[in-house]
Amino acid sequence: MIKVGIITASDKGARGEREDKSGQVIEELIAEIDGEVVSYQIVPDKKEVLKTKMLEMIIEDGINLLLTTGGTGLAPCDVTPDATLELIEKEVPGIAEAMRMESLKITDRAMLSRAVSGVIKETLIINLPGSPKAVQECLEVIISVLPHAIDLIQDEVDECAR
């Protein structure tokens, strides 16, 4: 089982003014890889709040995979990648690149995503877009490699060759 945390970055969602459909999509898809959501938070688009919640989930909840949704664009309030970059110890650029590459086949706006992914301690953090449709499209691109990535991070792989 993969212990999963979900953070939705949304000022309106945090105030209860918008239903978080993206978090629901993540929860549904993550079940395909034996992922269990053990922690879920909707927080305002504030860098320090995001960093604090990320660390709480990693340290207190012991999650293996942290998926964020929202806050990956160019608006002044979009700070999820910035918070992530301040926490991670290793960047995993291929994950975000793969999501952007496939998303570009659907919309040219995908090139405006600043999503990042990386590792802190034994946790993989991946920034996903904010819309439910984009979350589904991006997560479907990367979901098959996530169990192997978690195993690698936890040093549970003896041989990487196929």
Side-chain angles (χ1 to χ4, degrees), residues 103-138:
S103 295
L104 275 167
K105 295 175 182 177
I106 300 164
T107 176
D108 59 355
R109 292 182 181 181
M111 69 180 79
L112 303 179
S113 169
R114 298 184 317 114
V116 298
S117 61
V119 177
I120 175 174
K121 301 188 184 299
E122 291 188 355
T123 303
L124 177 61
I125 302 175
I126 301 171
N127 301 153
L128 295 166
S131 82
K133 180 179 181 290
V135 164
Q136 178 153 356
E137 292 165 355
C138 287

Side-chain angles (χ1 to χ4, degrees), residues 84-85 88 90-96 99 115-119 124-127:
T84 303
L85 286 169
I88 59 174
K90 292 181 182 178
E91 193 167 354
V92 186
I95 292 174
M99 291 188 301
V116 298
S117 61
V119 177
L124 177 61
I125 302 175
I126 301 171
N127 301 153

Side-chain angles (χ1 to χ4, degrees), residues 48-60:
E48 292 306 315
V49 173
L50 284 161
K51 286 170 50 179
T52 299
K53 289 299 177 189
M54 288 178 185
L55 287 173
E56 282 177 12
M57 286 185 182
I58 292 164
I59 295 166
E60 295 173 17

Side-chain angles (χ1 to χ4, degrees), residues 37-56:
V37 177
V38 297
S39 189
Y40 168 71
Q41 297 281 324
I42 302 174
V43 301
D45 285 304
K46 305 284 185 276
K47 186 165 56 171
E48 292 306 315
V49 173
L50 284 161
K51 286 170 50 179
T52 299
K53 289 299 177 189
M54 288 178 185
L55 287 173
E56 282 177 12

Side-chain angles (χ1 to χ4, degrees), residues 56-69:
E56 282 177 12
M57 286 185 182
I58 292 164
I59 295 166
E60 295 173 17
D61 301 325
I63 61 169
N64 312 112
L65 176 62
L66 174 54
L67 298 169
T68 68
T69 176

